Amino acid sequence: MPLVKDVIEELEDFAPQGLAESWDNVGLQVGDPNSEVKRIVLAVDCDAAALQLVLDGRRKAQLLITHHPLLFKPLSGLTFDTPQGQLVRELVKQDIALYCAHTNADNSLKFGASRKLATLIDLSELAPLGLAEQDTKVRLSFFVPEEQSDAVALALLAAGVQDIELAAVPLLKDRKSTRLNSSHRIRS
């Protein structure tokens, strides 16, 4: 019997979470990734109608997959007198997992609705618009003689480095550094 995490692995092959916009909240929102799954319900939103389908007597599902997240922002509290709180309570009470694939599905070149529409009208060279910016910066840390620090900083800027922090760090004979005693930033 597949587990929730097995279904998620398959979903993320088509719509990896890394394709989601930075403001979005995708992935497993409620439930145990190690729960068994016999039935799945797909819905646009996690609402009372979707939950009713999930709880349908003899065909109860263990996983609800939605396009729109139930939880967009981090919770500061969860009370059961709100529609959102009532849905979360019922999902937990009934041991139902909730997984959301929103902008990661939209941006997916393998799976997204935009891909389907593009193929219907024979478009080629497809690429998602407005794809979440990936932070591909690498942090380097090294020591250079103080008299060479300006030349190294200029060479790094010429190579495309966007943010440099220079710090004077006295080194002990055993090569362990002490506290920074001065620093400044250079931005291109």
Side-chain angles (χ1 to χ4, degrees), residues 42-107:
L42 302 175
V44 174
D45 294 301
C46 179
D47 56 17
L51 189 57
Q52 191 60 44
L53 283 173
V54 169
L55 297 174
D56 183 16
R58 54 195 161 82
R59 297 182 300 178
K60 180 182 174 191
Q62 295 75 39
L63 176 59
L64 173 59
I65 299 172
T66 65
H67 184 60
H68 296 128
L70 176 62
L71 309 170
F72 259 109
K73 298 177 182 173
L75 296 176
S76 58
L78 181 64
T79 61
F80 301 139
D81 61 346
T82 65
Q84 185 183 44
Q86 291 169 5
L87 289 166
V88 170
R89 177 177 60 183
E90 198 60 30
L91 290 166
V92 171
K93 204 162 106 175
Q94 298 289 336
D95 196 24
I96 298 162
L98 171 63
Y99 181 87
C100 168
H102 189 216
T103 55
N104 56 322
D106 292 340
N107 291 332

Side-chain angles (χ1 to χ4, degrees), residues 34 36 125 168:
N34 294 307
E36 290 185 347
E125 298 182 36

Side-chain angles (χ1 to χ4, degrees), residues 159-180:
V161 172
Q162 294 174 348
D163 190 7
I164 298 174
E165 184 174 343
L166 299 176
V169 181
L171 295 178
L172 302 175
K173 291 187 186 222
D174 65 0
R175 316 240 350 123
K176 292 182 181 175
S177 63
T178 62
R179 288 185 172 193
L180 298 179

